[in-house]
């Protein structure tokens, strides 16, 4: 499983996979799933539009597809890249989609007119990820050229660039307020940059292998990470520390995403499983959770937190983390085999 995304009301979850398919899971209706076929190669990324009316997907077949998530399976193909497309993401008004590709290009597409608007050139390696800022005026991208670029969508130029010489970033995204970006790296690190001052704010070394995906909680106070080491970790950005280590996947975890309200998050990985998790940020103080879990969990290694330049508030050296295994807390919630409705690419979207 290479991508997961919730719709706006968290009643639907879409996943994509190297099996070339998208599956739309109806979370309120048990045992119901819709499988969309159309891509000719592995699907690498998927996302709902903000209003939930359109799906965008990226694929190794060099295309981006726009889907109407209904029984008719209407979709349109956006062709322009000359290599695998690694990521796709909507602007927050839903009018545009940005795609990143192994052809070293970033392309911005009109959803309504289903055509290319413009292309951004500067990366010298494969581009792994590109995301719009919340206000739509900026795009953040990262690539295997070890650079993280910030683009101005109005004049279509790169206005800033951050370098990571210890590896390259695999994923990048803006925090909900649009003041910072977070990047996930092949060197097992997660970094937060303030795009107003161009300073590295926080540097987490909490995983034992590369980090493949990150997702901000809607409050902006938490960040969840997915890693090749088989774990998910939740970082408390205000306390600047790791608070949860989550187990459940058998193998590398490729993708993770919070729901729009933050009550749930979903993860997918090499084990072909999608795990749906429930958060407790709003109901429990995690210090109480630490005490509650103390007897049946062990404390994880403290993360390495570096800031360059160092912030005025020094990091607490006594860092604690709770390891959470789903089997400790709940009975087996694995969904039975769903009733799967296969939907083919019947026709193009009517604009």
């Amino acid at each position: 499983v290479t991508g997961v995304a919730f719709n706006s009301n968290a009643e639907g979850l879409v996943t994509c996979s190297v099996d070339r398919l998208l599956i739309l899971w109806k979370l309120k209706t048990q045992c119901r799933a819709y499988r969309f076929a159309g891509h000719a190669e592995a699907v690498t990324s998927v996302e709902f539009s903000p209003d939930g009316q359109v799906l965008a997907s990226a694929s190794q077949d060099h295309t981006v597809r726009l889907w109407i998530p209904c029984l008719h399976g209407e979709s349109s193909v956006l062709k322009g890249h000359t290599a695998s497309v690694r990521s796709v993401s909507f602007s927050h008004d839903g009018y545009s989609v940005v795609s990143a590709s192994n052809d070293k290009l970033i392309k911005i597409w009109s959803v309504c007119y289903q055509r290319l608007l413009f292309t951004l050139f500067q990366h010298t390696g494969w581009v792994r990820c590109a995301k719009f800022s919340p206000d739509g005026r900026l795009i953040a991208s990262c690539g295997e050229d070890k650079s993280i670029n910030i683009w101005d969508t109005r004049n279509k130029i790169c206005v800033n660039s951050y370098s990571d010489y210890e590896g390259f970033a695999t994923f990048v995204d803006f925090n909900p307020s649009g003041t910072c970006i977070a990047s996930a790296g092949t060197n097992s690190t997660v970094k937060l940059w303030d795009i107003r001052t161009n300073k590295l704010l926080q540097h987490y070394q909490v995983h034992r292998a590369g980090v493949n995906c990150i997702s901000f909680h809607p409050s902006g106070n938490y960040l969840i990470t997915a890693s090749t080491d088989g774990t998910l970790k939740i970082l408390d950005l205000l306390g600047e520390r790791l608070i949860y280590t989550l187990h459940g996947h058998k193998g590398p975890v490729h993708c993770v995403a919070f729901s729009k309200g933050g009550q749930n998050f979903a993860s997918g990985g090499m084990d072909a499983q999608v795990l749906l998790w429930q958060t407790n940020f709003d109901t429990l103080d995690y210090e109480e959770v630490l005490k509650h879990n103390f007897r049946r969990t062990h404390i994880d290694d403290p993360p390495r937190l570096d800031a360059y330049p160092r912030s005025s508030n020094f990091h607490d050296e006594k860092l604690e983390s709770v390891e959470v295994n789903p089997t400790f807390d709940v009975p087996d919630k694995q969904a039975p085999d769903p009733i799967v409705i296969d939907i083919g690419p019947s026709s193009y979207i009517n604009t």
Side-chain angles (χ1 to χ4, degrees):
V1 180
T2 54
V4 293
F6 288 89
N7 67 356
S8 54
N9 59 14
E11 293 184 357
L13 174 71
V14 65
T15 62
C16 63
S17 169
V18 295
D19 64 8
R20 308 178 184 183
L21 301 172
L22 279 69
I23 298 183
L24 177 58
W25 310 85
K26 294 295 187 180
L27 303 181
K28 298 297 182 182
T29 306
Q30 292 298 319
C31 302
R32 188 77 67 195
Y34 302 88
R35 187 162 52 204
F36 293 83
H39 281 294
E41 298 292 340
V43 189
T44 55
S45 176
V46 66
E47 190 171 289
F48 271 103
S49 63
D51 62 6
Q53 300 301 306
V54 181
L55 280 170
S57 60
S59 171
Q60 291 181 3
D61 65 10
H62 305 184
T63 69
V64 171
R65 274 185 181 262
L66 300 176
W67 309 77
I68 301 295
C70 65
L71 290 176
H72 300 297
E74 297 169 319
S75 67
S76 291
V77 184
L78 304 179
K79 295 181 179 179
H81 287 293
T82 58
S84 297
V85 187
R86 304 297 290 258
S87 87
V88 65
S89 183
F90 280 93
S91 61
H92 288 253
D93 59 12
Y95 295 159
S96 304
V97 161
V98 60
S99 58
S101 170
N102 285 1
D103 62 11
K104 308 177 186 178
L105 302 177
I106 299 162
K107 292 182 180 290
I108 290 80
W109 311 82
S110 166
V111 175
C112 179
Y113 299 107
Q114 299 164 44
R115 64 178 178 85
L116 179 65
L117 295 176
F118 56 91
T119 301
L120 301 175
F121 309 80
Q122 182 155 320
H123 281 289
T124 58
W126 293 357
V127 190
R128 298 292 294 260
C129 182
K131 297 278 187 178
F132 277 102
S133 63
D135 62 9
R137 288 195 272 181
L138 299 174
I139 289 173
S141 65
C142 62
E144 297 191 12
D145 56 5
K146 300 186 177 182
S147 69
I148 299 168
N149 292 343
I150 306 295
W151 308 81
D152 188 321
T153 59
R154 293 164 295 184
N155 55 27
K156 305 173 182 57
I157 63 170
C158 180
V159 294
N160 217 325
S161 185
Y162 308 99
S163 296
D164 191 340
Y165 295 103
E166 302 167 355
F168 61 84
T170 57
F171 197 93
V172 65
D173 202 4
F174 287 88
N175 69 343
S177 66
T179 59
C180 299
I181 58 168
S183 64
T186 56
N187 60 340
S188 313
T189 64
V190 175
K191 296 182 178 181
L192 267 74
W193 311 80
D194 188 322
I195 62 174
R196 300 163 299 180
T197 61
N198 299 323
K199 298 288 179 61
L200 177 61
L201 295 179
Q202 296 178 16
H203 176 198
Y204 296 90
Q205 184 93 45
V206 293
H207 284 287
R208 294 176 174 86
V211 186
N212 301 313
C213 188
I214 52 179
S215 180
F216 278 99
H217 187 264
S219 68
N221 297 335
Y222 305 98
L223 186 73
I224 190 165
T225 63
S227 170
T228 300
D229 66 12
T231 67
L232 301 150
K233 291 181 186 278
I234 297 179
L235 307 174
D236 174 5
L237 301 182
L238 295 181
E240 297 182 325
R241 62 174 178 172
L242 168 68
I243 53 173
Y244 293 117
T245 298
L246 308 176
H247 298 267
H249 284 284
K250 300 173 180 65
V253 191
H254 290 312
C255 51
V256 66
F258 275 110
S259 63
K260 304 306 179 190
Q263 297 89 355
N264 300 302
F265 59 93
S267 58
M270 187 79 79
D271 56 5
Q273 285 196 110
V274 178
L275 300 184
L276 183 64
W277 307 76
Q278 185 174 9
T279 62
N280 59 4
F281 299 138
D282 298 328
T283 57
L284 289 173
D285 180 74
Y286 71 77
E287 296 292 351
E288 293 300 316
V289 176
L290 284 171
K291 296 175 184 176
H292 178 72
N293 285 271
F294 180 76
R295 290 186 178 179
R296 57 183 176 80
T297 60
H298 67 275
I299 303 302
D300 198 7
D301 296 331
R304 190 188 84 203
L305 297 172
D306 299 323
Y308 305 101
R310 277 217 184 266
S311 55
S312 57
N313 55 328
F314 292 101
H315 299 298
D316 185 0
E317 294 300 323
K318 297 178 180 179
L319 299 164
E320 294 179 302
S321 171
V322 171
E323 291 220 2
V324 179
N325 187 319
T327 58
F328 291 164
D329 300 300
V330 294
D332 188 358
K333 294 286 188 180
Q334 183 172 348
D337 291 340
I339 300 169
V340 178
I341 300 170
D342 284 307
I343 301 170
S346 62
S347 61
Y348 290 104
I349 296 173
N350 184 0
T351 57

